[in-house]
Amino acid sequence: VQNLDELKVLYQLPNELELAETPRLTQALDRLVAQPWFVSTLLFFAFLFLMSEISAPGLGIPGFMAIVCFLLFFWAQFLNGTAGWLEVLLFVSGIIFVALEIFVIPGLGIFGIGGGVMIVGAIIMASQTFVVPRNSYQLDVFMNSMLRFVLACGGVIVVIWAMVRFFPNNFWF
């Protein structure tokens, strides 16, 4: 069709079309997940809960919360258009390799290191639309992705250090 009038005639649409509006909650969520601080906060809490789960015996609430935070992270990156199934596959494969290293074949290190690299690579790749930076803009985006990841992990290390240092005899910690 050449214009809107031809489209209306072709599909027998009414003369006055209604404009569909996105619900306010959806708009607010779209704006929220597009914020870099939100993604960094999700990563921070995901790693904090993961460290809490690793330090306690058995599986519990921190492990569940870590999974939820990682799911929200990848969901946010899917909505932003920077993540795809490759990143999710790399992340899940990395988790499986680390679990194999811990529970099945401890001592070799190959599966643990490879799984860790896959997890970090998936998180970095989910934060950008390219794999390897090829120009100055992409290098800038890559450095911002790395910075967010390092800040999230560094924040977890600082919080865990503070918990070990200042709360060793506290009932809750």
Side-chain angles (χ1 to χ4, degrees), residues 53-168:
E53 181 66 30
I54 290 171
S55 67
L59 297 175
I61 294 173
F64 174 75
M65 294 303 295
I67 291 170
V68 168
C69 287
F70 280 123
L71 285 174
L72 286 174
F73 169 77
F74 282 106
W75 173 69
Q77 301 303 41
F78 265 100
L79 285 180
N80 288 337
T82 58
W85 288 108
L86 171 64
E87 290 83 2
V88 174
L89 181 65
L90 273 175
F91 186 80
V92 170
S93 299
I95 295 288
I96 291 170
F97 283 178
V98 169
L100 280 173
E101 176 70 31
I102 292 171
F103 298 116
V104 179
I105 48 173
L108 293 177
I110 301 298
F111 281 90
I113 293 170
V117 168
M118 291 170 75
I119 291 169
V120 171
I123 290 171
I124 299 299
M125 286 173 54
S127 301
Q128 55 202 25
T129 58
F130 52 88
V131 177
V132 177
R134 290 195 166 88
N135 56 37
S136 61
Y137 171 75
Q138 290 179 348
L139 185 61
D140 212 24
V141 170
F142 176 73
M143 295 306 284
N144 284 337
S145 299
M146 288 291 293
L147 179 65
R148 281 195 301 258
F149 177 77
V150 168
L151 287 176
C153 290
V156 168
I157 291 170
V158 168
V159 167
I160 289 175
W161 173 81
M163 288 171 58
V164 169
R165 173 83 168 97
F166 298 112
F167 301 120

Side-chain angles (χ1 to χ4, degrees), residues 45-61:
F45 281 110
F47 284 118
L48 180 65
F49 289 135
L50 188 61
M51 289 296 136
S52 298
E53 181 66 30
I54 290 171
S55 67
L59 297 175
I61 294 173

Side-chain angles (χ1 to χ4, degrees), residues 20-48:
E21 293 186 24
T22 307
R24 290 184 184 201
L25 178 62
T26 305
Q27 290 176 345
L29 283 174
D30 285 345
R31 282 193 302 272
L32 179 65
V33 299
Q35 301 297 321
W37 65 265
F38 180 73
V39 173
S40 297
T41 304
L42 280 176
L43 282 178
F44 169 77
F45 281 110
F47 284 118
L48 180 65

